[in-house]
Amino acid sequence: MTSSITKVVIPAAGLGTRFLPATKALPKEMLPVVDKPAIQYVVEEAVAAGLVDVLMIVGRNKNALANHFDRNTELEHTLEAKGDNKKLALVAEASQLADVHFVRQGDPKGLGHAVLRAKSHVGNQPFAVMLGDDLIDARDVLLTKMLDVQDERKASVIALMEVEPSQAHLYGIASVEATEETDVVRVTGLVEKPEPGTQPSNYAIIGRYVLCPEIFDVIEKTEPGKGGEIQLTDALQTMIAGPIAGGVYGVVFRGRRYDTGDRLDYIKAIIRLASERDDLGKDLRPWIKEFAEEL
Ligand code: G1P
């Protein structure tokens, strides 16, 4: 690892309407994936890449997030008194992972607007942005590679994944040119959620970005785009067109990604991850086979 980047911004102010009523009082980022909130996987991924200064952009309903990354001394004392060190370690873990800060988004005006809220915390250094709906399997490399590409090219870097054409309208889509490096591309254009059938490629942005700080000034001048929201994708398109601060590169990811923002994919993620776990997989795998035969 050569990068000196330590700051990561995690937008977590969405309303999570796809998971109502579960998300009526609970932020969607706190929904468990097996037995750990989705957001903890994301923070663990950040920390594994050296990003230990975490800024979460939160909404009105986000006390649960702050509590999760804080100590719970009452629970810790109870577990300590019982001598349950295993559970004690699980409770303490989230509060020891990283230095977690919070800022309110206020009026939620889109992903670009959420990222802009990080301007004073981030300052004049490159930084990462991670979206909580995308889980990247801890066994597959992505963020470290993106940080290396940022360091080498001194440009902004986005994570890309090839998707089925029928899915392209759900993502920011990139036009790309190959570079001399395998799976590193130069991004020549970006469009947020193109109308079905109009996408310039099948390279979709997945929720990992390493951005140059010039993005903040660009977002400030970015007009509302798709859905009337200030889109990060549109600001990145301006960085490309300039080019500003070296333009934008993409790292093509071919590993395992789970979309926990979609109900069906969320269920699939839980089944897959649980079936691979030492403590659950042995009993779960034969049950899945039996169940599949019943269908
Ligand atoms: C956001 C971005 C989009 C990106 C996607 C990845 O959209 O705006 O460009 O492809 O995340 O998950 P959202 O899914 O938040 O609507």
Side-chain angles (χ1 to χ4, degrees), residues 32-38 40-41 44 86-87 90 93 135 137-139 256 258 268-286 288:
V33 177
V34 189
D35 47 13
K36 201 157 62 175
Q40 191 175 330
Y41 289 86
E44 285 173 357
K86 220 167 153 192
K87 292 212 176 84
L90 289 175
E93 207 180 0
L135 296 194
D137 197 297
R139 295 161 291 187
R256 289 157 283 194
Y258 314 109
K268 288 181 191 169
I270 292 174
I271 294 173
R272 180 178 289 273
L273 292 171
S275 74
E276 290 168 355
R277 283 249 305 244
D278 291 343
D279 55 345
L280 297 166
K282 194 166 59 58
D283 294 330
L284 182 61
R285 283 191 301 267
I288 293 173

Side-chain angles (χ1 to χ4, degrees), residues 33-55:
V33 177
V34 189
D35 47 13
K36 201 157 62 175
I39 190 83
Q40 191 175 330
Y41 289 86
V42 178
V43 173
E44 285 173 357
E45 181 192 339
V47 171
L51 305 172
V52 291
D53 181 336
V54 176
L55 179 69

Side-chain angles (χ1 to χ4, degrees), residues 87-151:
K87 292 212 176 84
L88 183 62
L90 289 175
V91 168
E93 207 180 0
S95 62
Q96 292 163 353
L97 266 177
D99 192 7
V100 185
H101 310 268
F102 298 88
V103 62
R104 285 274 182 109
Q105 188 175 355
D107 202 8
K109 291 194 223 150
L111 180 57
H113 177 253
V115 172
L116 185 57
R117 298 287 291 126
K119 184 177 181 179
S120 57
H121 182 86
V122 166
N124 204 23
Q125 298 294 321
F127 64 104
V129 173
M130 298 171 77
L131 306 188
D133 284 350
D134 290 293
L135 296 194
I136 301 296
D137 197 297
R139 295 161 291 187
D140 298 323
V141 177
L142 175 58
L143 204 49
T144 315
K145 168 95 177 162
M146 294 174 71
L147 291 166
D148 286 345
V149 172
Q150 197 287 325
D151 193 56

Side-chain angles (χ1 to χ4, degrees), residues 10-17 23-31 39 56-70 100-106 108 132-133:
I10 305 183
L15 296 175
T17 52
T23 47
K24 184 180 172 192
L26 189 77
K28 67 171 174 176
E29 293 78 8
M30 286 301 296
L31 292 176
I39 190 83
M56 290 189 190
I57 315 294
V58 294
R60 198 162 294 287
N61 186 3
K62 299 290 157 137
N63 287 344
L65 282 168
N67 289 338
H68 185 71
F69 290 98
D70 193 2
V100 185
H101 310 268
F102 298 88
V103 62
R104 285 274 182 109
Q105 188 175 355
D133 284 350

